[in-house]
Amino acid sequence: MAQTTLLMTRPRAAGARFVADLPDELRASLTVCHSPLLRIVPIAEHIDFGAARGIIFTSANGVAIAAGATDRRDLPCHCVGEWTTRTAREHGWQARMVGEDAAELIATLRADPPPSPLLHLRGRHGSGDIAGALAPVGCEVIVQVIYEQEVLALDDAAQTVLAGPGPVIVPLFSPRTARQFAKVAHIGADVRAAAISDAAAAPLRDLPLQRLIVATRPTAAALADAVEMLAKPASRVEGGPDAQ
């Protein structure tokens, strides 16, 4: 029986980090193929802090790019997700996690608005309208786009893996990545996908996948759990309520 391939479509460093955090036994059972569908391109030479009294980070990419563009570390950071929070702390910021996704961040900051204005350092795509959602509670948010997320094609090695004979597991971390995967992937007989959210699952539902699972929470840890479920023998996972 062919060994299961884990196809990672995140930018290489983030994909390697996800693989490294998988349980040892699961990681040993997988052959990993990296073919990023997004390239992170910094576009900010400096950060315009203005009168900002805090920072919002919604991705570790934003943290890393901001860290290279400014030496300032005096403002508190409100972060989405454990990894973004940890990355901000490693780069010297006083950071707290205020939600697992943008919706939870909005709910937390609406319930207890911090001193503002806040500066949201983000990519061109994703994160929703955090500024608009916080405005009604008097929390001003200034948005500065500091990086682009350019879509890429799958490389030849990834397409060969997807064509079979399989099995292949593909975790997808955002709706944009899922849309690009659905557009460019040549799906073979045994391709299984794990989506981080319902929004990320939506572009995948018309694909000829063997199985599609949505993570129970919009976190890397929950997505890893979904990967582990997909890696189990087919006789143990087929026919569940989330089978597609």
Side-chain angles (χ1 to χ4, degrees):
M1 181 179 295
Q3 186 172 27
T4 300
T5 298
L6 180 67
L7 175 58
M8 295 302 305
T9 61
R10 301 192 89 184
R12 184 60 183 258
R17 184 171 65 240
F18 178 81
V19 173
D21 286 343
L22 293 174
D24 292 344
E25 184 177 356
L26 174 60
R27 189 170 64 250
S29 72
L30 300 170
T31 298
V32 181
C33 176
H34 290 274
S35 182
L37 285 174
L38 291 179
R39 176 170 49 229
I40 304 303
V41 181
I43 59 174
E45 295 183 359
H46 70 281
I47 305 297
D48 182 8
F49 288 96
R53 301 179 67 184
I55 300 172
I56 294 175
F57 284 125
T58 44
S59 75
N61 290 320
V63 174
I65 291 167
T70 180
D71 293 328
R72 285 192 61 175
R73 299 293 188 272
D74 57 307
L75 296 176
C77 298
H78 313 280
C79 300
V80 167
E82 292 182 2
W83 183 250
T84 301
T85 307
R86 189 192 324 170
T87 304
R89 290 171 180 165
E90 289 173 351
H91 281 286
W93 274 289
Q94 178 186 349
R96 67 172 183 137
M97 180 177 135
V98 291
E100 292 180 338
D101 58 15
E104 287 191 1
L105 176 141
I106 289 168
T108 300
L109 297 187
R110 282 178 65 95
D112 185 17
S116 65
L118 303 177
L119 179 62
H120 184 189
L121 300 175
R122 55 166 289 177
R124 181 78 64 189
H125 304 276
S127 301
D129 185 11
I130 291 174
L134 293 180
V137 296
C139 184
E140 180 185 0
V141 177
I142 301 165
V143 177
Q144 185 175 354
V145 175
I146 62 173
Y147 64 94
E148 296 278 4
Q149 305 112 307
E150 296 181 352
V151 294
L152 303 172
L154 290 167
D155 62 26
D156 290 344
Q159 295 286 20
T160 298
V161 164
L162 288 169
V168 185
I169 298 172
V170 188
L172 291 157
F173 292 77
S174 71
R176 192 159 185 253
T177 304
R179 288 193 296 272
Q180 179 67 357
F181 178 80
K183 178 180 178 181
V184 303
H186 302 155
I187 304 295
D190 189 358
V191 178
R192 313 165 189 179
I196 199 165
S197 65
D198 287 328
L204 309 174
R205 295 195 183 278
D206 291 333
L207 298 180
L209 298 170
Q210 183 73 14
R211 187 161 171 82
L212 171 61
I213 291 178
V214 180
T216 57
R217 299 289 294 169
T219 67
L223 197 57
D225 290 341
V227 167
E228 187 165 16
M229 184 177 296
L230 291 172
K232 294 177 181 179
S235 61
R236 295 178 59 190
V237 299
E238 287 181 355
D242 54 353
Q244 302 297 313

